[in-house]
Amino acid sequence: MSTYSGVVYGIIFCLISAASDVFVAYLTQSINSAIVIFYCFISSTLLFMMISIFKGIDQLIMKVRKNTLLVLIVNVSILLNWGGLIISLRFLEPAIVGVASVACGPAITILLSSFIDKGEAKTEKLEVVISWLVLIGVGVMLVNVFLGNSGLPSSSIQDRIIGIVSVIIGAVGTVLYTIFSKKLFKEKWQTYEILSVRSILMVILSFCYVSISDVSLSLDSEMIFPMSILVIIGHLLPIYLVLKTINAITPLHVSLLFLLIPVFTILFQYFDSRIAFSVESLIAASVIVSLLTILGVSKIKKDKKV
């Protein structure tokens, strides 16, 4: 797949993901987060497992046996990524979640790649400087959120702490998923094969949580349609697009491309009546995205010279 195709897939993913983040933030006010997670991930696992069976289950079993550790790490990264995302969207302004999730991406990618994948660890001084500036900017932004300066000022301190911790965990999960999915592609895995095994841990844990709690998997009639839209358009399509993107471009470029998510999220979130306009959130998003845009342009120019 060409780099151009990967970028196109990535942009479409960012657009859908931003709209999905806002929708999930709204939906989780009425439905327990565990139910949202369960329905999304059981649907994707069953769908892509059926495709894998149709294509040849023996081949998938051989790959799982060969790359058991990678499959496990991908499952854990999905748990961190989506668990952190959905929980943080319940307690924080979607734009804040979008910015924090992707702004940490390039810096965490540079850091983790130096330990995990030496081939993706080559960085320039500008990249390191901007990455640290961005992390500082995210820190300042999250402190502002903790102090109640966001589009959801009525949330409690406990809710903000849970949201802040969750969004950081989600950011780490996103980078780990990108790096280790890339490794699976290098081991000749197909997109549908990764999607058939990547969410097993999420399905098991969410089902166990629902089983031992007072939460019911049944949905009210008025929630069936919104949940169906979320599963199909907000989950199945994006997870396919993001793997196509990861397969085509480097982990750092993936992290840079994801910077479009908070831009789209800011535009979409005001359709949610709960969200008030926040100058602090807009400024924080603008500064961080501007810094990362400089980093992205620098990276592209360097690659062209090479």
Side-chain angles (χ1 to χ4, degrees), residues 109-128:
T109 300
I110 291 172
L111 178 62
L112 293 182
S113 292
S114 64
F115 296 101
I116 298 170
D117 194 339
K118 302 293 184 181
E120 302 291 349
K122 298 177 181 178
T123 56
E124 290 187 344
K125 195 171 185 179
L126 178 63
E127 294 174 347
V128 176

PDB file of all heavy atoms in Angstrom, residues 109-128:
ATOM      1  N   THR A 109       5.973   7.964  21.221  1.00  0.00           N
ATOM      2  CA  THR A 109       6.471   7.112  20.132  1.00  0.00           C
ATOM      3  C   THR A 109       7.984   7.166  20.052  1.00  0.00           C
ATOM      4  O   THR A 109       8.659   6.140  19.927  1.00  0.00           O
ATOM      5  CB  THR A 109       5.863   7.546  18.784  1.00  0.00           C
ATOM      6  OG1 THR A 109       4.442   7.441  18.845  1.00  0.00           O
ATOM      7  CG2 THR A 109       6.373   6.656  17.659  1.00  0.00           C
ATOM      8  N   ILE A 110       8.531   8.382  20.104  1.00  0.00           N
ATOM      9  CA  ILE A 110       9.992   8.545  20.056  1.00  0.00           C
ATOM     10  C   ILE A 110      10.651   7.824  21.229  1.00  0.00           C
ATOM     11  O   ILE A 110      11.656   7.128  21.078  1.00  0.00           O
ATOM     12  CB  ILE A 110      10.372  10.040  20.065  1.00  0.00           C
ATOM     13  CG1 ILE A 110       9.946  10.694  18.745  1.00  0.00           C
ATOM     14  CG2 ILE A 110      11.875  10.217  20.283  1.00  0.00           C
ATOM     15  CD1 ILE A 110      10.100  12.198  18.736  1.00  0.00           C
ATOM     16  N   LEU A 111      10.054   7.964  22.410  1.00  0.00           N
ATOM     17  CA  LEU A 111      10.619   7.353  23.610  1.00  0.00           C
ATOM     18  C   LEU A 111      10.543   5.831  23.549  1.00  0.00           C
ATOM     19  O   LEU A 111      11.550   5.137  23.734  1.00  0.00           O
ATOM     20  CB  LEU A 111       9.875   7.865  24.844  1.00  0.00           C
ATOM     21  CG  LEU A 111      10.312   7.278  26.188  1.00  0.00           C
ATOM     22  CD1 LEU A 111      11.766   7.628  26.477  1.00  0.00           C
ATOM     23  CD2 LEU A 111       9.407   7.778  27.306  1.00  0.00           C
ATOM     24  N   LEU A 112       9.353   5.293  23.265  1.00  0.00           N
ATOM     25  CA  LEU A 112       9.177   3.846  23.268  1.00  0.00           C
ATOM     26  C   LEU A 112       9.900   3.170  22.110  1.00  0.00           C
ATOM     27  O   LEU A 112      10.403   2.057  22.254  1.00  0.00           O
ATOM     28  CB  LEU A 112       7.680   3.493  23.235  1.00  0.00           C
ATOM     29  CG  LEU A 112       6.865   3.862  24.477  1.00  0.00           C
ATOM     30  CD1 LEU A 112       5.419   3.414  24.315  1.00  0.00           C
ATOM     31  CD2 LEU A 112       7.470   3.230  25.725  1.00  0.00           C
ATOM     32  N   SER A 113       9.935   3.844  20.951  1.00  0.00           N
ATOM     33  CA  SER A 113      10.605   3.251  19.790  1.00  0.00           C
ATOM     34  C   SER A 113      12.090   3.031  20.051  1.00  0.00           C
ATOM     35  O   SER A 113      12.698   2.099  19.524  1.00  0.00           O
ATOM     36  CB  SER A 113      10.425   4.147  18.559  1.00  0.00           C
ATOM     37  OG  SER A 113       9.076   4.153  18.137  1.00  0.00           O
ATOM     38  N   SER A 114      12.685   3.894  20.868  1.00  0.00           N
ATOM     39  CA  SER A 114      14.108   3.750  21.173  1.00  0.00           C
ATOM     40  C   SER A 114      14.384   2.463  21.951  1.00  0.00           C
ATOM     41  O   SER A 114      15.491   1.930  21.916  1.00  0.00           O
ATOM     42  CB  SER A 114      14.605   4.959  21.980  1.00  0.00           C
ATOM     43  OG  SER A 114      13.955   5.028  23.236  1.00  0.00           O
ATOM     44  N   PHE A 115      13.347   1.935  22.639  1.00  0.00           N
ATOM     45  CA  PHE A 115      13.498   0.692  23.384  1.00  0.00           C
ATOM     46  C   PHE A 115      12.933  -0.507  22.617  1.00  0.00           C
ATOM     47  O   PHE A 115      13.462  -1.615  22.714  1.00  0.00           O
ATOM     48  CB  PHE A 115      12.776   0.785  24.736  1.00  0.00           C
ATOM     49  CG  PHE A 115      13.354   1.816  25.660  1.00  0.00           C
ATOM     50  CD1 PHE A 115      12.743   3.055  25.807  1.00  0.00           C
ATOM     51  CD2 PHE A 115      14.514   1.559  26.381  1.00  0.00           C
ATOM     52  CE1 PHE A 115      13.269   4.013  26.668  1.00  0.00           C
ATOM     53  CE2 PHE A 115      15.047   2.522  27.232  1.00  0.00           C
ATOM     54  CZ  PHE A 115      14.437   3.742  27.378  1.00  0.00           C
ATOM     55  N   ILE A 116      11.843  -0.269  21.862  1.00  0.00           N
ATOM     56  CA  ILE A 116      11.121  -1.369  21.232  1.00  0.00           C
ATOM     57  C   ILE A 116      11.559  -1.620  19.799  1.00  0.00           C
ATOM     58  O   ILE A 116      11.776  -2.749  19.385  1.00  0.00           O
ATOM     59  CB  ILE A 116       9.598  -1.091  21.269  1.00  0.00           C
ATOM     60  CG1 ILE A 116       9.130  -1.012  22.722  1.00  0.00           C
ATOM     61  CG2 ILE A 116       8.828  -2.172  20.528  1.00  0.00           C
ATOM     62  CD1 ILE A 116       7.711  -0.516  22.879  1.00  0.00           C
ATOM     63  N   ASP A 117      11.680  -0.556  19.007  1.00  0.00           N
ATOM     64  CA  ASP A 117      11.979  -0.693  17.579  1.00  0.00           C
ATOM     65  C   ASP A 117      13.047   0.312  17.192  1.00  0.00           C
ATOM     66  O   ASP A 117      12.756   1.475  16.939  1.00  0.00           O
ATOM     67  CB  ASP A 117      10.704  -0.469  16.755  1.00  0.00           C
ATOM     68  CG  ASP A 117      10.863  -0.916  15.309  1.00  0.00           C
ATOM     69  OD1 ASP A 117      12.021  -1.023  14.845  1.00  0.00           O
ATOM     70  OD2 ASP A 117       9.846  -1.150  14.641  1.00  0.00           O
ATOM     71  N   LYS A 118      14.274  -0.123  17.156  1.00  0.00           N
ATOM     72  CA  LYS A 118      15.399   0.769  16.856  1.00  0.00           C
ATOM     73  C   LYS A 118      15.267   1.410  15.481  1.00  0.00           C
ATOM     74  O   LYS A 118      15.721   2.523  15.243  1.00  0.00           O
ATOM     75  CB  LYS A 118      16.721  -0.002  16.924  1.00  0.00           C
ATOM     76  CG  LYS A 118      16.997  -0.665  18.260  1.00  0.00           C
ATOM     77  CD  LYS A 118      17.228   0.353  19.351  1.00  0.00           C
ATOM     78  CE  LYS A 118      17.597  -0.336  20.669  1.00  0.00           C
ATOM     79  NZ  LYS A 118      17.799   0.620  21.762  1.00  0.00           N
ATOM     80  N   GLY A 119      14.599   0.709  14.567  1.00  0.00           N
ATOM     81  CA  GLY A 119      14.459   1.230  13.210  1.00  0.00           C
ATOM     82  C   GLY A 119      13.588   2.461  13.133  1.00  0.00           C
ATOM     83  O   GLY A 119      13.678   3.247  12.192  1.00  0.00           O
ATOM     84  N   GLU A 120      12.720   2.654  14.125  1.00  0.00           N
ATOM     85  CA  GLU A 120      11.818   3.807  14.137  1.00  0.00           C
ATOM     86  C   GLU A 120      12.271   4.866  15.141  1.00  0.00           C
ATOM     87  O   GLU A 120      11.564   5.820  15.417  1.00  0.00           O
ATOM     88  CB  GLU A 120      10.387   3.363  14.489  1.00  0.00           C
ATOM     89  CG  GLU A 120       9.796   2.327  13.553  1.00  0.00           C
ATOM     90  CD  GLU A 120       9.517   2.884  12.175  1.00  0.00           C
ATOM     91  OE1 GLU A 120       9.580   4.122  11.992  1.00  0.00           O
ATOM     92  OE2 GLU A 120       9.236   2.076  11.275  1.00  0.00           O
ATOM     93  N   ALA A 121      13.464   4.693  15.711  1.00  0.00           N
ATOM     94  CA  ALA A 121      13.890   5.541  16.815  1.00  0.00           C
ATOM     95  C   ALA A 121      14.752   6.723  16.402  1.00  0.00           C
ATOM     96  O   ALA A 121      15.148   7.516  17.242  1.00  0.00           O
ATOM     97  CB  ALA A 121      14.648   4.690  17.836  1.00  0.00           C
ATOM     98  N   LYS A 122      15.085   6.853  15.115  1.00  0.00           N
ATOM     99  CA  LYS A 122      15.948   7.936  14.674  1.00  0.00           C
ATOM    100  C   LYS A 122      15.197   9.261  14.743  1.00  0.00           C
ATOM    101  O   LYS A 122      14.195   9.460  14.073  1.00  0.00           O
ATOM    102  CB  LYS A 122      16.415   7.670  13.238  1.00  0.00           C
ATOM    103  CG  LYS A 122      17.250   6.390  13.111  1.00  0.00           C
ATOM    104  CD  LYS A 122      17.623   6.124  11.656  1.00  0.00           C
ATOM    105  CE  LYS A 122      18.421   4.835  11.537  1.00  0.00           C
ATOM    106  NZ  LYS A 122      18.757   4.516  10.126  1.00  0.00           N
ATOM    107  N   THR A 123      15.701  10.175  15.547  1.00  0.00           N
ATOM    108  CA  THR A 123      15.030  11.459  15.730  1.00  0.00           C
ATOM    109  C   THR A 123      16.034  12.593  15.626  1.00  0.00           C
ATOM    110  O   THR A 123      17.231  12.418  15.850  1.00  0.00           O
ATOM    111  CB  THR A 123      14.350  11.531  17.112  1.00  0.00           C
ATOM    112  OG1 THR A 123      15.338  11.286  18.127  1.00  0.00           O
ATOM    113  CG2 THR A 123      13.250  10.498  17.233  1.00  0.00           C
ATOM    114  N   GLU A 124      15.521  13.775  15.289  1.00  0.00           N
ATOM    115  CA  GLU A 124      16.355  14.965  15.234  1.00  0.00           C
ATOM    116  C   GLU A 124      16.113  15.813  16.481  1.00  0.00           C
ATOM    117  O   GLU A 124      15.149  15.615  17.216  1.00  0.00           O
ATOM    118  CB  GLU A 124      16.023  15.778  13.972  1.00  0.00           C
ATOM    119  CG  GLU A 124      16.472  15.088  12.689  1.00  0.00           C
ATOM    120  CD  GLU A 124      16.291  15.989  11.481  1.00  0.00           C
ATOM    121  OE1 GLU A 124      15.558  16.994  11.587  1.00  0.00           O
ATOM    122  OE2 GLU A 124      16.873  15.693  10.432  1.00  0.00           O
ATOM    123  N   LYS A 125      17.015  16.773  16.677  1.00  0.00           N
ATOM    124  CA  LYS A 125      16.937  17.618  17.864  1.00  0.00           C
ATOM    125  C   LYS A 125      15.604  18.366  17.931  1.00  0.00           C
ATOM    126  O   LYS A 125      14.994  18.491  18.991  1.00  0.00           O
ATOM    127  CB  LYS A 125      18.098  18.614  17.850  1.00  0.00           C
ATOM    128  CG  LYS A 125      18.349  19.291  19.182  1.00  0.00           C
ATOM    129  CD  LYS A 125      19.640  20.081  19.152  1.00  0.00           C
ATOM    130  CE  LYS A 125      19.948  20.659  20.524  1.00  0.00           C
ATOM    131  NZ  LYS A 125      21.225  21.423  20.528  1.00  0.00           N
ATOM    132  N   LEU A 126      15.142  18.868  16.780  1.00  0.00           N
ATOM    133  CA  LEU A 126      13.885  19.606  16.748  1.00  0.00           C
ATOM    134  C   LEU A 126      12.724  18.734  17.213  1.00  0.00           C
ATOM    135  O   LEU A 126      11.839  19.186  17.942  1.00  0.00           O
ATOM    136  CB  LEU A 126      13.613  20.143  15.335  1.00  0.00           C
ATOM    137  CG  LEU A 126      12.297  20.909  15.158  1.00  0.00           C
ATOM    138  CD1 LEU A 126      12.296  22.171  16.013  1.00  0.00           C
ATOM    139  CD2 LEU A 126      12.077  21.259  13.687  1.00  0.00           C
ATOM    140  N   GLU A 127      12.725  17.473  16.799  1.00  0.00           N
ATOM    141  CA  GLU A 127      11.661  16.558  17.192  1.00  0.00           C
ATOM    142  C   GLU A 127      11.636  16.364  18.700  1.00  0.00           C
ATOM    143  O   GLU A 127      10.574  16.346  19.326  1.00  0.00           O
ATOM    144  CB  GLU A 127      11.851  15.213  16.485  1.00  0.00           C
ATOM    145  CG  GLU A 127      11.682  15.286  14.973  1.00  0.00           C
ATOM    146  CD  GLU A 127      12.011  13.969  14.304  1.00  0.00           C
ATOM    147  OE1 GLU A 127      12.590  13.094  14.982  1.00  0.00           O
ATOM    148  OE2 GLU A 127      11.709  13.807  13.124  1.00  0.00           O
ATOM    149  N   VAL A 128      12.821  16.192  19.289  1.00  0.00           N
ATOM    150  CA  VAL A 128      12.911  15.989  20.730  1.00  0.00           C
ATOM    151  C   VAL A 128      12.450  17.241  21.486  1.00  0.00           C
ATOM    152  O   VAL A 128      11.675  17.159  22.441  1.00  0.00           O
ATOM    153  CB  VAL A 128      14.359  15.631  21.140  1.00  0.00           C
ATOM    154  CG1 VAL A 128      14.459  15.519  22.659  1.00  0.00           C
ATOM    155  CG2 VAL A 128      14.788  14.335  20.481  1.00  0.00           C
TER     156      VAL A 128
END
